[in-house]
Amino acid sequence: TTAKDAANLGLMIMTCTGFAKYMDHIGASSRLVVTAIKPLGKMKSAYLVMALTFILNMFMSLVIPSASGLAMLMMVTIFPILVRLGVSPVGAAAAVATGHLLDIGPASATTLLVSKTVNMPVHEYFVGYQLRLYFLVAIVTAIAHFFWQKYRDRVEEPKAIDACESIPEAPIGPKPYMIFPLLPLCFI
């Protein structure tokens, strides 16, 4: 079963990567970015959007047990939006990469193992013990992201500007294409 699990994980990663690349190729990711920038730009703080994005990313990790699959999905949808709002690519990638910070949730192997070990139903263990910690960690880490990434971007601003200039412009697809990168989220 280990080989089968590894093969399934590999296929999932390849599927997510292919989906991300295709969304870039047809301009769907760029269309989502262009459309989302207007309302998110009104918040006047790219780092607040980044912190809220991290919280969204963490809660999505409860239903997407694959860290790499979640990261690829966020790289298609959230990463370009954060970069266009003014967060450095490194800061945006940090918010995306840490979204699967804790390996907990009803579908997590850790949760299943611990609940079996302590002879407790999975839902009771998850809601009674893990969920409280999850909320606390999400809030503390979002606050840390807000201040740390803002500080790092200010300290390394010339490098961040150089990195942003090296990102090639992707084609912008028609308006209906903005829905395509969100389809995996809808199916979940």
Side-chain angles (χ1 to χ4, degrees):
T1 48
T2 304
K4 183 180 177 186
D5 291 342
N8 287 341
L9 179 61
L11 286 173
M12 184 187 320
I13 292 170
M14 286 189 297
T15 303
C16 291
T17 304
F19 178 77
K21 187 68 177 167
Y22 187 66
M23 291 298 107
D24 278 343
H25 180 72
I26 65 171
S29 294
S30 298
R31 172 49 63 191
L32 177 65
V33 169
V34 167
T35 306
I37 288 295
K38 292 176 188 173
L40 291 176
K42 292 178 183 177
M43 291 182 80
K44 303 289 186 209
S45 175
Y47 297 97
L48 178 61
V49 174
M50 183 195 62
L52 294 173
T53 296
F54 167 77
I55 291 174
L56 171 71
N57 198 3
M58 266 197 76
F59 286 110
M60 287 182 53
S61 74
L62 292 174
V63 294
I64 302 174
S66 166
S68 56
L70 178 62
M72 290 309 260
L73 183 60
M74 292 295 111
M75 288 302 284
V76 167
T77 56
I78 301 300
F79 178 82
I81 293 171
L82 292 175
V83 170
R84 286 283 298 269
L85 285 172
V87 177
S88 71
V90 173
V96 166
T98 56
H100 216 291
L101 185 62
L102 301 175
D103 185 28
I104 65 175
S108 166
T110 306
T111 302
L112 298 173
L113 179 64
V114 171
S115 67
K116 183 178 178 183
T117 303
V118 296
N119 199 22
M120 184 182 292
V122 173
H123 68 280
E124 189 177 312
Y125 175 69
F126 171 68
V127 173
Y129 294 92
Q130 288 184 330
L131 208 51
R132 292 182 210 157
L133 176 68
Y134 209 68
F135 286 123
L136 178 67
V137 169
I139 291 168
V140 169
T141 308
I143 292 168
H145 265 302
F146 178 86
F147 289 108
W148 180 250
Q149 298 308 333
K150 191 172 188 176
Y151 167 74
R152 293 307 307 165
D153 286 356
R154 193 172 13 133
V155 168
E156 299 191 14
E157 188 173 349
K159 291 180 187 175
I161 290 171
D162 291 342
C164 286
E165 289 174 355
S166 67
I167 296 173
E169 286 292 319
I172 299 174
K175 285 188 179 184
Y177 279 23
M178 69 176 256
I179 295 170
F180 294 154
L182 301 174
L183 285 177
L185 299 176
C186 295
F187 291 139
I188 290 169

